[in-house]
Amino acid sequence: MNEPTQITIIGGGITGLSTAFYLQKELADQQVNAQITVVEASSAFGGKINTMEKDGIVFEKGADSFLARKLPIIELTKELGLENELTGTNPNAKKTYILYKDKLHPMPPGLVLGIPSELKPFMKTSLISPFGKLRAAMDLVLPRRKEVADESLGSFLERRLGKEVLEKIAEPLLAGIYAGNMHALSLQATFPQFGEMEQKFGSLIRGTSSNRSKTAQNLPGLPPAANKSMFLTFRKGLMTLINGLIAALREQNVDLRLNTPVAGVAKSNSSQSSRYNITFADGHEEQADAVIVALPSYHAAALLQEPSAKGFLEELDYVSVANVVLAFNRKDVNFTFDGSGFLVPRSEGRFITACTWTSNKWMHTAPEDKVLIRFYVGRAGDERWRSMTTEQIVSEVRKDMLDIMGLDAEPIFHEVTPLERSMPQYGIGHLDKVAKFREDLKMNLPGLLVTGAGFHGVGLPDCVRQGKEAAKELVHELIQYRSSKAQSESEDSA
């Protein structure tokens, strides 16, 4: 009987665990005998997903939800049998605000990713001046861009909708996803659908309106919760998904290891069949026929010895952010929560970048006598929080909370979560650089893949999708490799 193919996945976050899950399914479908090992340097699986509970309050230290209509995470949830654990946002908390001149203004109805799909409600907003509204409406008559080269997200939106819409609506909404600089982020790598709308409809407003009417129909395969909410999570937090993956992998005898940092990965020089030698931080070594690295790019670069693999990984920039959770007794809170929270444009000069009224948006997160609020700090060009103590960060957040919300209650507890170098920045030309990197990797390190948020999407569904794609690609490569090797051995023995 042939020895099983040894496959090591480095990184036990959502990407690494999703890769392992789909890898074992793909291997079984293709009848490939293999042993999968997942190694994680820290003491817990889940990466940036970390659900906590305190005083009956459930809160997330990292990501807190995902887009309901992104199918990869929905499909994974179904395969794990967790569909009934999904929950959507409070239907009475749909309103979102944007801070402008120290006042909270309701986001105009009909916005889709910051783009007006209806002009009538947009024309009534107090956020944009009459001139700014007229400039945005010019999107309907401006010509399409003829060049096909990538451009920045900021220059694209300013060209189509004007500077006011860019700075007051699009920037806090879209740049917040990446904590980035709108004029440095790649259009093709972040929101390629905008460019496609311009080419197809000649207008972002027309394209958004058309697409919105189509997506108003329920997508096939969506669970009931997804048809009523733009965002989803799990009733007991996002760790539900991580725990479901761990349980499923253990059932399939996947070797899951915590507290196992890797020091390096290199081509094997031995005469054995294994292609890679993995050196661990404690000094011991193991061999693998294939390796998938599911780590932030800068960590992946530190492990790989092949020079051609390191360039792109080392150059990819990241921004550091932090989440600040404050919990209160409801009786102490003198503020009416009539929505899900607010966004803060860069031009406002505030310490915080956004705020979620968590217990109002997600009704399962706190008992009725408690209030939970989550603040976000840090973005490209403003990482001052990194040089501050926890107490200083909380103090600055509370100053903004008082100025903006008029809320000066004493929290019953706070939790500050630093997320160092957590937000990859997709610069102009990012997709071309990724394609070149993957070509070089395939040529110089066959059987070794690198995947994760640094490549094709930072959201949880994007990470799941990339894990699934990596699994399929690796199994295809293994089958080709074994076939080629068998043919070579046959020719040598003839």
Side-chain angles (χ1 to χ4, degrees), residues 9 11-20 294 451-453 462-464 466-468:
I9 298 172
I14 182 65
T15 306
L17 294 177
S18 299
T19 301
T451 190
D462 300 305
C463 292
V464 171
Q466 291 177 88
K468 187 174 185 178

Side-chain angles (χ1 to χ4, degrees), residues 189 293-297 300 312-313 316 318 424 426 430-431 433-435 437-438 441 449-458 465-466:
V293 181
L295 298 172
S297 300
F312 166 77
L313 298 175
L316 185 62
Y318 281 73
Y426 297 168
H430 175 79
L431 296 183
K433 294 176 183 177
V434 169
F437 166 76
R438 296 211 185 282
L441 201 65
L449 305 178
V450 184
T451 190
F455 294 90
H456 293 290
V458 300
R465 171 181 50 78
Q466 291 177 88

